[in-house]
Amino acid sequence: MNSEGKDTAKEWARALCHYAGEDEMFFQEFWAALQNSEPVFKEFAHYLQNRDFLCEYRISGYTIIDIMVWQMDHFKARLDSGDHDMVQNKDKMLLMAFDTMLKMEKQPEKYVHSMQSETGTDYPDKY
């Protein structure tokens, strides 16, 4: 990606953080991590350009869509408990999916375990 494209991606990342309710420090950390991960950056840039998920990069078999679905499952559980910070904030859900993918790169076992064991409450015999 050329420098103009990177500048556009940076400004979009900043705006996404803002609309997700995150501060400048979060943005700086997110942007630094994004620049240090070519495959996640490619997924991010593809979404920016196409408003669609590339799903080319997998970590332990999981794509960005898998991460979003897992987070939505968690969101439903938090909604049941009264935590509504993502109710109307699709920007936050998108941002947190990319942020989780960046963290998952560094600690895949931790996130795979969470994705396989920490699910929402919307199926029979959960408890």
Side-chain angles (χ1 to χ4, degrees), residues 21-125:
E22 299 297 339
D23 62 16
E24 180 67 17
M25 180 178 280
F26 182 93
F27 162 70
Q28 292 295 335
E29 291 171 1
F30 176 74
W31 181 247
L34 198 56
Q35 288 185 65
N36 288 323
S37 174
E38 186 177 325
V40 178
F41 188 87
K42 183 178 178 183
E43 295 279 337
F44 185 81
H46 179 86
Y47 187 86
L48 166 62
Q49 294 169 347
N50 300 288
R51 295 301 191 261
D52 190 20
F53 294 101
L54 182 60
C55 293
E56 193 175 270
Y57 183 47
R58 293 175 182 271
I59 302 171
S60 299
Y62 293 97
T63 67
I64 190 72
I65 292 283
D66 297 316
I67 293 169
M68 281 200 82
V69 168
W70 174 65
Q71 287 182 329
M72 286 193 285
D73 196 31
H74 269 261
F75 165 72
K76 288 186 282 182
R78 285 192 306 269
L79 190 61
D80 292 344
S81 70
D83 180 359
H84 302 278
D85 86 323
M86 285 197 233
V87 170
Q88 297 294 326
N89 199 332
K90 293 176 185 172
D91 294 321
K92 185 161 187 127
M93 292 184 86
L94 179 64
L95 176 64
M96 291 301 110
F98 281 109
D99 187 57
T100 298
M101 187 172 233
L102 289 165
K103 291 174 181 170
M104 191 173 179
E105 263 187 326
K106 298 194 182 314
Q107 297 180 304
E109 301 83 17
K110 173 185 172 183
Y111 287 90
V112 167
H113 175 74
S114 292
M115 290 175 78
Q116 292 176 350
S117 63
E118 297 174 11
T119 60
T121 59
D122 60 347
Y123 60 89
D125 301 323

